[in-house]
Amino acid sequence: MSGRGARLAPLADRAAGTAGLVLAYLRLLGPATVADVAGFLGTSATELRAVWPAAELTEVRVDGRRAWLPTDRLDALRGAEPLDGVRLLPTGDPFLQARDRDVLVPDRAHQRELWRMLGNPGALLVDGEISGTWRARQSGRGRLDLTVAPFTRLSARAGERIEAEAETVRLARGASAVTVRVESA
């Protein structure tokens, strides 16, 4: 097709549907600040404020900061029970894509361990808190070697739960055996 059939659209149309993306992000990873959502969407907070769906959101406080949550999720937030257990979240897990990294992992050194320029590890989740990193290496004959690097000393119960979670990873990867090594904090 030649350039004669091309038309330019008004700039305002570029933001069409952005409110839906904001709501989806906040339902999955909220509450969050405008800057958190803007960072995830690859835009600026200033640009995002122009299409911010304020009528569908409720302001809440997270660590003293203003954050937002879809109003229809407010009861779920208020009624949330503390989490119990251990999960080994893979590198691409949506929970790790949130932009409020200071809330998820307050210590900057731990943030650098988890979110690297290249080759991110998975995250060790203990009772709902990111408590370390993990890596898996598949070796010959279907063997899986899993290394866990906790940020702080783990309880014996958490250690047992890591072993059980490692078995889930083994099954998901189709390995014949799994070995777990927990590094000292």
Side-chain angles (χ1 to χ4, degrees):
M1 175 179 202
S2 71
R4 285 184 248 169
R7 290 187 338 191
L8 296 177
L11 291 177
D13 287 350
R14 289 178 40 194
T18 305
L21 291 174
V22 169
L23 291 168
Y25 178 89
L26 292 172
R27 280 190 179 98
L28 181 64
L29 298 170
T33 66
V34 175
D36 293 335
V37 180
F40 181 81
L41 295 177
T43 189
S44 70
T46 301
E47 291 294 323
L48 190 58
R49 280 187 189 94
V51 294
W52 191 251
E56 298 176 66
L57 301 174
T58 297
E59 181 182 330
V60 296
R61 295 276 174 189
V62 176
D63 291 342
R65 297 182 317 157
R66 288 176 55 186
W68 302 91
L69 188 71
T71 302
D72 64 358
R73 303 300 300 150
L74 198 55
D75 288 340
L77 177 66
R78 287 182 177 140
E81 296 289 328
L83 295 176
D84 181 40
V86 167
R87 289 289 179 262
L88 296 173
L89 302 179
T91 300
D93 191 90
F95 185 67
L96 301 176
Q97 305 311 309
R99 295 297 180 204
D100 57 350
R101 292 178 174 174
D102 290 336
V103 174
L104 294 176
V105 180
D107 185 285
R108 294 277 186 200
H110 294 157
Q111 287 178 17
R112 286 190 296 274
E113 290 176 44
L114 185 59
W115 292 289
R116 306 170 60 91
M117 289 296 271
L118 294 172
N120 286 340
L124 169 66
L125 197 67
V126 178
D127 298 334
E129 299 292 330
I130 296 177
S131 301
T133 63
W134 69 278
R135 291 190 182 274
R137 184 173 53 91
Q138 196 111 13
S139 55
R141 296 194 172 116
R143 181 177 186 80
L144 184 66
D145 296 319
L146 200 134
T147 302
V148 176
F151 296 149
T152 60
R153 185 180 167 117
L154 296 173
S155 68
R157 183 175 183 211
E160 292 167 6
R161 289 175 163 191
I162 288 170
E163 293 282 341
E165 184 70 2
E167 183 62 20
T168 302
V169 174
R170 180 194 71 77
L171 290 170
R173 293 193 176 198
S176 59
V178 64
T179 302
V180 178
R181 182 172 64 91
V182 177
E183 297 176 344
S184 57

